[in-house]
Amino acid sequence: PDSTKRICQADTIRFTVCATDGDFGDSITLEKCSGNGSFPAKKGVTPVCQDYKFYADTCGTYKFCFKATDQCGKVAYDTAVYKVEVHKNAPVVTAPDGAKFFCGPDTLKFQVCATDVDCTDSVKLEKISGVGTFCVKTGPSPVCCTLKAVVDTSGTYKFVFKATDECGKIDLDT
């Protein structure tokens, strides 16, 4: 089967490979002709099926070739292509720290960004604490928004920002 598989950590991926022969009673040998993973040859009467498994620890396209041979020596080949997206890392949100001096009421503005190094991972960026307006934005890395907060009194203002990836991994920055 050709497929795309998204996993939230390195893991073993399994699928079933089957071979059939229209000649009733013929024995078939099913084996792997290329690709990584575990798949010992199996011989039997049609249909011959076996689970195939391989360990995916990086994003990429994994290709496998399978070969079926009947007792008369007739051969058939098939390939399976798996696009694997491994999302191992949590996103990172970055908000600047700093001090500002205003002569009167003014608007505090600064940009906050969230990134994720995993392939094709989407990130949601949001403000979960603090005054002001800030967008909630989801998209491919990097995702950035600008905080705008009207400040009319002296003091310390605290903001908390959160980044969440598709696997539910989070990062906070204050």
Side-chain angles (χ1 to χ4, degrees):
D2 295 339
S3 182
T4 297
K5 183 84 172 173
R6 178 174 291 156
I7 53 180
C8 292
Q9 62 188 15
D11 202 357
T12 299
I13 295 177
R14 294 174 173 78
F15 60 91
T16 302
V17 179
C18 292
T20 60
D21 190 327
D23 297 328
F24 182 76
D26 276 3
S27 66
I28 303 171
T29 301
L30 178 60
E31 59 192 317
K32 178 179 69 162
C33 45
S34 70
N36 62 346
S38 172
F39 193 82
K42 184 175 183 180
K43 187 174 184 174
V45 177
T46 190
V48 176
C49 296
Q50 180 154 306
D51 285 339
Y52 180 68
K53 59 184 177 180
F54 68 97
Y55 187 73
D57 61 351
T58 59
C59 293
T61 301
Y62 295 78
K63 297 179 182 179
F64 314 97
C65 172
F66 299 95
K67 176 182 172 183
T69 309
D70 72 7
Q71 65 192 30
C72 296
K74 294 178 185 171
V75 178
Y77 294 92
D78 194 12
T79 58
V81 178
Y82 262 77
K83 182 180 177 192
V84 180
E85 300 171 357
V86 184
H87 300 276
K88 298 184 281 190
N89 302 294
V92 175
V93 61
T94 305
D97 293 326
K100 295 279 185 182
F101 176 79
F102 296 122
C103 293
D106 207 338
T107 301
L108 177 65
K109 294 180 188 177
F110 58 86
Q111 187 177 54
V112 178
C113 293
T115 58
D116 195 320
V117 297
D118 292 327
C119 64
T120 71
D121 207 355
S122 182
V123 181
K124 177 182 179 183
L125 175 63
E126 60 189 317
K127 176 174 65 84
I128 59 172
S129 178
V131 299
T133 59
F134 189 79
C135 69
V136 174
K137 189 173 184 181
T138 302
S141 178
V143 174
C144 298
C145 288
T146 299
L147 172 89
K148 295 176 185 171
V150 175
V151 290
D152 54 7
T153 58
S154 297
T156 301
Y157 292 84
K158 180 179 175 182
F159 308 93
V160 180
F161 301 93
K162 178 180 175 182
T164 308
D165 72 7
E166 294 176 25
C167 290
K169 296 174 183 153
I170 66 166
D171 184 44
L172 301 173
D173 195 3
T174 304

